[in-house]
Amino acid sequence: MDPAAVWRDKNHRWRIEVIRAPDLRFAIYATSGTTESAPLWLFGMPALARWLMVQSIELDDLEEA
């Protein structure tokens, strides 16, 4: 299984999954209670870095899932 990380804010729990087929992709899910969003797909590290920056998430904020 590919690695995943979790980040929480006051309203949601975010899960970031790494998918390596055939290129590097990231699927980001927001959960609230028992409901989970459709994935937000990011392609490549630059896209993930921009998303983390926009969300004001630092790498130290991520927990291994």
Side-chain angles (χ1 to χ4, degrees):
M1 182 173 176
D2 286 322
V6 174
W7 173 72
R8 292 173 179 84
D9 64 16
K10 62 184 176 185
N11 298 317
H12 297 91
R13 177 179 174 259
W14 301 85
R15 188 175 78 248
I16 303 169
E17 295 183 354
V18 179
I19 294 125
R20 300 183 195 113
D23 52 359
L24 188 61
R25 300 175 189 192
F26 300 91
I28 300 174
Y29 300 88
T31 59
S32 179
T34 58
T35 305
E36 184 169 272
S37 71
L40 167 67
W41 288 100
L42 301 175
F43 297 92
M45 287 296 292
L48 177 64
R50 279 192 301 274
W51 186 85
L52 291 170
M53 187 177 69
V54 167
Q55 298 297 325
S56 299
I57 302 171
E58 297 193 19
L59 293 177
D60 292 339
D61 297 334
L62 299 175
E63 306 166 3
E64 189 173 328

